Amino acid sequence: MSLNCDRFLDDLHRLRSFGASGQGKGVVRPAYSAVDIAARRWLAGRMEEAGLTVHLDPIGNCFGLAGEKSLLIGSHSDSQPEGGWLDGALGVVAGLEIARAAKEAGGPPISVVNFQDEEGRFGILTGSDVWTGNVSLAEADQLTDTGGVVLSTARARMSGRAKDFLPYDMFTGFIEMHIEQGPGMDVSGDQVGVVSDIVGIRELRIVINGRQNHAGTTPMALRQDAFQALCDFNQRINQRFAEVATSTTVWTLGHAELSPNASSVVPGTVRFALQWRDGDPALLLALEEIMRAVAAEIAQERGVTVELGTVGGIEPAAMDPHLKAALRQAAEDQAPGKWRDLPSGALHDAANMARVMPTAMLFVPSIGGISHAFDEDTKEEDLVKGLEVLHQAALSL
Ligand code: GLV
Ligand code: MN
Ligand code: MN
């Protein structure tokens, strides 16, 4: 049998039912949660039904293997705390459909992968970070989520079925299909994007400790207010990063927690996360130095302590020329005049995979450029077009 686009869309909608939430087509499926594990079990069952051999590795990456040497296609099925239905899910279900169609057609061997914790509940791209050696399993096991849960505890729920990490040389290469998650193709009207390279990232958790005290009796001049220190820190980061940033540099303070978080208490502690992204490793480092200098200034000027956590990161990654050429040819055949090359500002497991095997990525548009939000969406005709391009490219390889 050949590619079955209805079966692909049905599977994608079925996957959405695990953790379906919010308005529109949103999902809540954080890595290692009960609903994430249920979705992964269902996907593993679909892999088995397709005649693929299911393999779970120690960190929770789940493979559907087609043989001893195959092309690997996939992405991740965990979501952000408030996620869309396609981020990651699209690439896994596309890999499943292409591997299944190839199996039915008697070859070539194509395997599928569903990476664990791509959305960084614990690390940055935890599953592929560990498989590709960016972070050791022992280091990963120490990571905590923002609620204090330790990764070793979270993954224990799956570890009974896990086998070893797979050798990279089982695979001839890796291709990930994904939504763009930005406005580029929605604005240009293109249906398919061939990724040139993926940005690099640095990320860390920071704790500012001031002095918790009474909001009515503590004179302004005597306060060591952790929240005010955070505001000052943020303002200086915005100013100083902007002085060296290029038009594609981005930074985000996306998580912050005040303690005790009560209206009549001068906040004693604030915990937050800061990340920055750029395609130039030297600039990533320069921004880290600025961040460290700002932290030292804030500590000194405001009489607080600023504890910097370990700076984690992934280097910028260029996509493989040979795989890219196959995607470009397929895009030209299937979507003539409606495709383009473009860089990825979002992170993907492909960034890690590029260090260990030839790797490429294919994008389809995001309506309104919205993602990491419940209302993320893509036209079904664009999802199918992307699948067809990926299928042609995979067969040509
Ligand atoms: C991955 O989801 C990212 O943060 O880019
Ligand atoms: Mn993703
Ligand atoms: Mn994501």
Side-chain angles (χ1 to χ4, degrees), residues 232-310:
D232 197 356
F233 176 89
N234 182 54
Q235 195 179 24
R236 290 188 204 195
I237 288 288
N238 283 338
Q239 235 163 36
R240 307 264 270 278
F241 275 20
E243 285 165 11
V244 296
T246 69
S247 62
T248 53
T249 313
V250 293
W251 59 95
T252 307
L253 198 161
H255 171 83
E257 240 173 82
L258 282 185
S259 174
N261 208 17
S263 54
S264 286
V265 184
V266 176
T269 299
V270 58
R271 296 167 195 280
F272 63 102
L274 180 70
Q275 63 164 244
W276 56 97
R277 306 185 191 206
D278 194 83
D280 175 6
L283 185 51
L284 290 173
L285 184 61
L287 293 169
E288 178 173 339
E289 282 161 4
I290 292 172
M291 182 277 301
R292 288 185 186 282
V294 168
E297 287 167 23
I298 297 292
Q300 212 221 339
E301 292 171 28
R302 288 191 164 261
V304 296
T305 62
V306 182
E307 294 166 20
L308 302 180
T310 308

Side-chain angles (χ1 to χ4, degrees), residues 76 78 80 87-88 118-119 178 181 346-348 371-372 376:
H76 61 96
D78 57 300
Q80 286 289 332
D87 180 357
E118 192 274 352
E119 298 292 11
H178 208 282
Q181 307 183 278
L347 276 173
H348 300 286
S371 186
H372 285 187
E376 159 195 293

Side-chain angles (χ1 to χ4, degrees), residues 26 28 47 55 63 65 68 73 83 85 113 152 161 175 179 210 226 251 267 273 298 315 329 343 363 395:
V28 175
M47 293 174 192
H55 180 103
F63 297 78
L65 299 172
E68 282 167 14
I73 301 180
W85 72 299
V113 59
S152 58
R161 302 157 139 242
I175 307 183
I179 50 168
W251 59 95
I298 297 292
E315 296 310 311
Q329 183 61 55
F363 279 170
L395 294 188

Side-chain angles (χ1 to χ4, degrees), residues 191-267:
Q191 266 193 307
V192 173
V194 177
V195 174
S196 52
D197 45 69
I198 304 173
V199 292
I201 189 171
R202 295 292 181 273
E203 179 172 309
L204 79 160
R205 301 230 187 115
I206 304 177
V207 182
I208 298 181
N209 280 303
R211 171 69 230 182
Q212 182 181 329
N213 210 338
H214 195 290
T217 58
T218 314
M220 297 309 282
L222 296 184
R223 293 185 180 202
Q224 293 156 279
D225 183 324
F227 178 64
Q228 295 303 327
L230 167 61
C231 294
D232 197 356
F233 176 89
N234 182 54
Q235 195 179 24
R236 290 188 204 195
I237 288 288
N238 283 338
Q239 235 163 36
R240 307 264 270 278
F241 275 20
E243 285 165 11
V244 296
T246 69
S247 62
T248 53
T249 313
V250 293
W251 59 95
T252 307
L253 198 161
H255 171 83
E257 240 173 82
L258 282 185
S259 174
N261 208 17
S263 54
S264 286
V265 184
V266 176

